[in-house]
Structure formats: C-alpha cells, structure tokens
Amino acid sequence: MSMRVGVLGIGKTPHKIQHEKSLKDLGVEAGRKAMADAGVDPSEIQMLYVGNVGSVGFNYENSTALMAAHHLGVVPAGAVRVEAACGTGAWALHLGCVAIASGLYDTVMVLGMEKMNDLATVEGTSIIAQAADSKEEYFSGLTFPSGTALTARKYMQAYGVSEEDLAHTSVKNHFYGARNPSAHLRFECTVEEVMNSPKVADPLKLYEVCPMTDAASALVLCREEILRAQPNRPQVYVTATSMASGTWYQASDTLDDAYNLFHRPATRAYEMAGVTAKDIDVAEIYNSFAIQEPLGIEGLGFAKMGQGWKGAKDGSTWLDGKIAVNPSGGLLCKGHPLGATGATQAVDIVEQLRGTAPEGMQRADAEIGISACRGGPGSVGAIHIYQRLEG
Amino acid sequence: MTVSAIEFTRLGAPKLHLFAMKCDKCKELSPWWERSHCYKCGHDTLTEFELAGKGEITNYTVVYYPPREFLGQEPYVVGHILMDEGVTLPAPVMGVAPDAVEVGTRVAATLRRMKLGHEGDIYYSYKFVVDDDPAPKKAAPARRAAAKKPAAKKPAAKKPAPRRPAARKK
Ligand SMILES: [Zn+2]
C-alpha cells in the first residue's frame, strides 16, 4: 500500500541537560512549538501519541501521555504513551501515521520526550539496562555500552576493521554536531582525539558514546488533503512507516541479526514509498554508540555488510557525499533522550526536506529522507521515509 | 539490573547452577534463559542440560561505568564464553587485567559474589577464571568428554547444587 501522511508542523526543545525544566515542561515546549508551526489550535488535535521510555525510573512519574494531554490543552483527545526501548519515539510516529492512514483521524500529534538527568549517571545506567533482560542476561554486569562494545568487537573481528577505522564515524558526527544549535555536544574532534578519549566499555571510547540528554520533539500529522489545501506550507509527507522486532539478547545477536533488524523493515519501507536506497538524499541513523551507524548504513542498503564504516572515512556519507548520513550530528552529538530520539530524527529529516536545517547541516536539494531508529540489544527496528512532494 | 531478594529465589537457579537449555527436537543448545522456544528451530520444548563449566573467551568488553550494584568492581571484564558444549554465555572474567584479556583464553566457571542488591543483600552467580588445563582436543566432540571429568576448581558449595536455588533466605 502506499501512504501519504502530511507533516503539518514540527517542534523540538534544545537537546541538553536541563535541570531547570521538568519532563512536563519539555513536552509542553515541544508540543506547543509543533502546533504553532502547524498553525493548529490544541482543540484540533484528535489524538496524542507520546513516546516516553523511563519516566517511572527517571522521574518517578507514570502515565505521562495523560499529563501531556492536560498541559498541552488537547483534552478531550485520546492520549496514550507507547514504549519500545530506544525505538519508542519512532513507534509513537508509527502510531500517528497509522492513525491518519486509517482514515480515522484528520490531525494527530506525536510527542517524544525524556528527562534523564534528574538522577546520577549510575542510576540512569541501571534504568536503561531495563531495556534488555536485566534480570537474566545483564545480571552478568553488562550495560548497554558494554553490550554494544561486544558488537563492536564482533564487527572488528569479522571484517578486520580497526578502532581507528571506526573512529572516523565520530569525527563526522562531531563535525556536524558542532554546527547543530540543538545538539548536546558541540565540538569537533579528530581521529586521534576519539582514540584518546577515555574508555567507557572497551573498545568503545567516550567520543563513541552518546550523552544522557533531556529533550522533547513533536510533530503534527494530518491527512494529505489538509496539507494539500495549504500550498504555501512545505509539502513534506511521511510515505513509509515500517516496524520490526529482533532478538532480546546480546549473546545471541549476530551481525546478521543486526543487519536484518533494519534490512527487513527497510525493504518493506522502500516498497511502500516506491523508492530505493539509491534515491535517498539524507538519512538520520540511530547511533547512540558509533558502531551502530555503519551497521545501520549496511542494513538500509547504502553499503555492503562490513563496508558501512568506510563512508565516514572517504567522505561518501558526509553532507556532500553520495548520501548525507546524520548531518544533525546523530545521537553521538544530539544526545539520546530515549523516548524523544525517534521523534527528533523525524523532525531533523523534515527540516532537511523543507530546506530549513541549520547552516552547515543542510543537504542541498534534499527531497527524500529516511530515519532509522533501533532499540534494545537488537530488539526493535523502526524505519520511516519522508518525501517532499510538491502539488 | 535491580532484582529483589524474593525475585532472586525465583530466578536464581541458573545463576547458582550452570546449565544450558537443549532443544528436544534439533538438540541445539541455547543459553539458560531461552526456556520458551528454541532460537534455532522454534520448537517449544527444551530441557535443562548440564554444562561442565569450561570454555573459552570469544569476545569481551571492559566495563568502566557499571550500574550501581556493581560499583567498586570497575573496571571489570565481561566476556562471551563459548562453552565446550557449544553455547555462548556472557559472564564476568576474573583475575585478568583489563588490558591483558585475550580472545581464545581458556576459562572455567566458579561461584562468586556478583553484586550487592539494593536491599544490601549479596547476590552470587557464576563468573569465570583463567583455566590452566589444556583445551579439549579441538576437532573431537568435546561434549561428552568434558562432562565426564569432574570440574576440580568449582567451589564445593555449588557443585551438586539442587535445581531449586539453595540461596533461599530464611
Ligand atoms: Zn531446535
């Protein structure tokens, strides 16, 4: 089936540590920005899908979709919170797209939000570990960084890739992160600096790991006719949404599994949108740890297995390369506010297709974009394709 | 990573007694947590299969930022251990410096303190230490051979561990 869901409005908060703001404050800020951008009143929102992973742990509050509905003034619209590990924000977007595509609703809001810095890093690490089998597999003392470190070493072993080779991914992300006013980490770095940054979980080093971030991002989605009726607005549509699950265990997550986590839903998404990997101008690919970017590049079909790391080194995944991968700086620089991340990726791609990305980040003439979000040890893959489709 | 004492009495067995799950149909071994279906063929009946406790490091990481329950142990090594019976388990490896870990090192299971629970209680589980015994002949099916030989290094407390956790609190 083909699908066209209009993106009427977008909004996001800065991505950083924000001690002065609550989870509620962040959600309201992003939601209001998206409604203002869309030119809609809260009363026009018919359904609110909130992506939020860890409020019970991070903030000691639950039912955060109902909280957001009240404070955004969208009552009595239905509101629900969705959770699928780090794929949460993308899942909220999926539900929003399904709601519009089904014909049941005209206008809905998707809101991803997370407030991770009310607790110390050590507590946050434990909460994040609950997105894996923390009672059994991660009882061994594994954490998300160290679990992913095992994947990184597997990749290095299988393809004969060095730590220096992989470090180029962080260099590229930080080059753009330094230009992203919304990013948490805004500095450039060299391969040498990546290599010399402190070890987090060998072989992963600090510059290959995303920070814990407080942020929210929102989109107002609508039926195609509604956006068509406003030709002065940027005509950006979500043309594919495709979800998958994968393995729940690091120990059994092979490189093939990691590939398939994106390959399977991406294949369906390309079919749904009627495009191929070659048509994509710009991609936001989940990289809470640097190694996930090359894995994602391969899963999306931009490079063969074992070759995904090369683009950051030879330039082909830089802004003016064959395809621009993570011109936002990726999660490595934006940070990874768990439930917000998938929504932030969407907002960033929409900015690209509108031509309103910040200076130094805008892919020239971007018409087709893709976002790929993942979560758990290898547990959720989420693909969205976006297109600028003038009248 | 938080596990309550009550929950541990329910989930504790595999941490105190080393076994894998064997598919009744295709005989594939899975880690002990795969109790619902075989990861390889999908069959839904698996039986506990005793592991001799020896294997080798095939992959490893060093954790510098642990969760709270592991604070004070960092940096610690967590390896993927390919057991001689052919199943891979993640577990801490003790007695090896973080910069001296090597893929291919022979290791043997031992029962150690794993972590402190949030209620101040101590949790035990299997960890691995470097094993000086030679590897079983590579090509030969190590399965039976390894099972016959009693694992000398295992602490007395856990060898004949009952299937139900012995660690139940009074
Ligand atoms: Zn089987």
Side-chain angles (χ1 to χ4, degrees), chain A residues 120-123 125-126 129-130 133-143 145-147 149-151 153-154 157 198-203 206 247 249-253 257, chain B residues 1-3 7-8 11 15 31-34 39 58-71 76 78-80 88-92 98 103 114-115 123-125:
Chain A
T121 298
V122 65
E123 306 290 1
T125 302
S126 296
Q130 293 177 17
D133 193 335
S134 60
K135 306 287 171 67
E136 307 208 304
E137 183 177 34
Y138 279 26
F139 192 89
S140 61
L142 279 177
T143 55
S146 52
L150 290 167
T151 304
R153 196 180 304 283
K154 223 180 289 177
Q157 288 170 347
K199 286 178 176 176
V200 171
D202 197 34
L206 188 61
T247 175
Y249 292 95
Q250 187 66 45
S252 47
D253 186 43
D257 289 332
Chain B
M1 227 138 298
T2 299
V3 182
E7 193 168 18
F8 190 72
L11 300 175
K15 286 141 186 152
W32 48 264
W33 55 71
E34 297 289 2
Y39 195 71
T58 56
N59 193 356
Y60 68 92
T61 180
V62 183
V63 179
Y64 290 86
Y65 295 88
R68 179 171 290 289
E69 296 91 334
F70 290 80
L71 272 180
Y76 57 87
V78 179
H80 271 176
T88 295
L89 296 176
V103 167
M114 195 62 144
K115 61 171 193 169
Y123 292 99
Y124 290 89
S125 184

Side-chain angles (χ1 to χ4, degrees), chain B residues 115-131:
Chain B
K115 61 171 193 169
L116 280 177
H118 68 294
E119 294 158 329
D121 32 5
I122 300 172
Y123 292 99
Y124 290 89
S125 184
Y126 59 86
K127 294 185 174 182
F128 285 80
V129 293
V130 173
D131 184 25

Side-chain angles (χ1 to χ4, degrees), chain B residues 23-28 38-43:
Chain B
C23 174
D24 283 5
K25 194 174 170 193
C26 79
K27 309 301 176 195
E28 175 83 359
C38 169
Y39 195 71
K40 190 178 180 190
C41 80
H43 187 64

